[in-house]
Amino acid sequence: PECLDPDSTHVYKVNEEFDTVEKVLIKDLMNGDIILGPYGPVSVQLVQHKAKKLIEIELENGDILKCSEDHRFWVYDCETEEEKF
């Protein structure tokens, strides 16, 4: 995705042949790869890396996430018990 830094952001790639999952950088994905999405496996349809201005967000655990200002995050609403952007 163009809203995340492809050089520092990882996703979980599914290897269906060996029934395994591995952590890979976004920049290493290819068209047709299967990754784990919020609701299960998703096929990568188009790999393209567009340059966007990145910001850094420091998480509670000290990790740094590099993303664009308009990146959307999945959140869990404790009151409604719903997942949403």
Side-chain angles (χ1 to χ4, degrees), residues 1-7 9 26 54 65-68 71 73:
E2 63 188 54
C3 54
L4 295 170
D5 179 21
D7 294 317
T9 306
I26 288 177
L54 299 176
L65 176 65
K66 295 179 185 178
C67 62
S68 66
H71 178 65
F73 294 91

Side-chain angles (χ1 to χ4, degrees), residues 3-85:
C3 54
L4 295 170
D5 179 21
D7 294 317
S8 67
T9 306
H10 291 86
V11 294
Y12 291 96
K13 180 179 168 184
V14 177
N15 183 326
E16 293 179 324
E17 182 180 352
F18 298 106
D19 197 29
T20 59
V21 176
E22 66 178 307
K23 189 174 173 180
V24 298
L25 288 170
I26 288 177
K27 71 177 185 176
D28 296 330
L29 290 176
M30 300 182 66
N31 292 338
D33 284 346
I34 306 293
I35 61 170
L36 292 182
Y39 297 110
V42 177
S43 177
V44 175
Q45 299 298 313
L46 177 63
V47 174
Q48 59 183 15
H49 300 294
K50 297 179 183 177
K52 274 193 172 185
K53 179 182 174 190
L54 299 176
I55 61 171
E56 290 186 1
I57 299 172
E58 184 173 356
L59 305 177
E60 288 179 355
N61 67 0
D63 286 349
I64 302 291
L65 176 65
K66 295 179 185 178
C67 62
S68 66
E69 292 178 328
D70 59 353
H71 178 65
R72 301 184 314 166
F73 294 91
W74 279 102
V75 295
Y76 179 76
D77 187 327
C78 295
E79 291 181 16
T80 64
E81 298 183 352
E82 293 179 350
E83 295 175 344
K84 58 186 174 184
F85 279 109

